[in-house]
Amino acid sequence: LPLKMDIYQPKYDSVKSRPLLVLVHGGAFIVGDKRDDFQKKLAMHYAKMGYVVASINYRLGYLFIPGAYSNLERCIYRAIQDTRAAIRWLIANSKKYGIDKNYIFLAGNSAGGFIALKTAFMAESESFSSISGNLFMLQDDLGCLDCSGNNHKEKFRLKGVINTWGALTDIEMMDEFEKMPLLLIHGDSDKIVPYGFDYPFKNVGEKYSSFFSNKVYGSKPIYDKALEMGFPVSLITVQNAGHEPQVDENNAYTPFMSQLLN
């Protein structure tokens, strides 16, 4: 599957090396695109602020079988591989696009938040056991974190991660030595991705959500863990807000969108 990205750059200036912001879209790992209106709005805003912005796509979809958590795990892992591949490609082409390789920021919303956090914190030893395949011989070995997408070997270290209403499946992959600067933004009444530690998609009922997912760690426990380990971290709690607080039920932007951009 050919995966592409959209790159947004400032115009009409002489700066040759700029911080890079990589955007990862949401969509429950089954839908979404780099050109979703929210992604474009973010990208245009931050390009005007002086960033090079890359809005990326990643492999989507998994076979839903109740209790087969490995299918969702493998889907998440493929998305992490693709995000890492995109960053490696951007580093390899940093001169062409005027990117400062020492200032790479990764931001994701919803499913993209999961991917951004895991890209920052997942080591090879912390990968899902299901990536090696099997499930009645239907699953192939997915390989290492940097064994997919392209042949670039560039190493990278993120300067910071922005998680908007995403979560972690395993909070223990946050290691004290990583000291990753974090910005976490989350509605405290989110029923799709929990603000605390709970099942995702409780809007359809816990019984059904537990069929395809284990409990996950939302922004509040991530914040608490980061504080405990001395990470530079900020949590913006959107009071009484559900999932995607930047849009209303008609998919129109709410006043919170301006606060989010700031």
Side-chain angles (χ1 to χ4, degrees), residues 41-230:
K41 196 171 185 69
L42 292 174
M44 293 294 289
H45 176 81
Y46 292 112
K48 290 177 181 178
M49 296 285 284
Y51 291 84
V52 175
V53 183
S55 181
I56 68 169
N57 272 348
Y58 53 90
R59 284 170 285 178
L60 296 170
Y62 65 98
L63 184 61
F64 171 69
I65 301 174
Y69 303 127
S70 64
N71 288 345
L72 176 56
E73 289 174 351
R74 288 167 61 83
C75 179
I76 295 172
Y77 187 79
R78 289 192 295 267
I80 298 165
Q81 287 180 312
D82 295 341
T83 300
R84 294 181 67 91
I87 295 172
R88 295 196 308 273
W89 187 92
L90 286 159
I91 293 172
N93 290 274
S94 58
K95 288 186 178 179
K96 179 178 180 180
Y97 294 104
I99 293 167
D100 185 338
K101 295 181 286 186
N102 296 311
Y103 286 88
I104 302 174
F105 299 89
L106 183 59
N109 62 292
S110 194
F114 279 80
I115 296 164
L117 289 165
K118 282 184 168 289
T119 300
F121 293 122
M122 180 182 274
E124 296 288 357
S125 60
E126 297 165 328
S127 300
F128 303 115
S129 60
S130 59
I131 66 164
S132 59
N134 205 344
L135 188 67
F136 313 115
M137 307 303 289
L138 295 175
Q139 296 176 337
D140 295 328
D141 188 336
L142 295 179
C144 73
L145 287 168
D146 290 320
C147 294
S148 180
N150 56 46
N151 294 320
H152 295 296
K153 304 300 181 185
E154 284 75 9
K155 302 294 183 183
F156 63 88
R157 178 167 177 79
L158 298 173
K159 197 71 173 178
V161 172
I162 303 97
N163 165 50
T164 53
W165 43 93
L168 274 172
T169 58
D170 179 10
I171 204 166
E172 295 306 318
M173 68 174 55
M174 294 174 65
D175 298 309
E176 195 166 357
F177 69 87
E178 289 165 322
K179 288 288 187 291
M180 179 62 63
L182 297 172
L183 173 60
L184 310 164
I185 305 172
H186 213 134
D188 62 3
S189 297
D190 194 337
K191 301 297 184 189
I192 294 177
V193 177
Y195 175 73
F197 175 61
D198 211 338
Y199 288 104
F201 294 103
K202 287 191 73 174
N203 56 319
V204 299
E206 183 175 310
K207 176 182 176 182
Y208 297 105
S209 63
S210 65
F211 280 164
F212 63 90
S213 176
N214 293 309
K215 289 184 176 181
V216 298
Y217 298 84
S219 294
K220 182 58 167 67
I222 294 172
Y223 174 73
D224 292 340
K225 182 78 169 177
L227 275 184
E228 177 188 319
M229 295 192 297

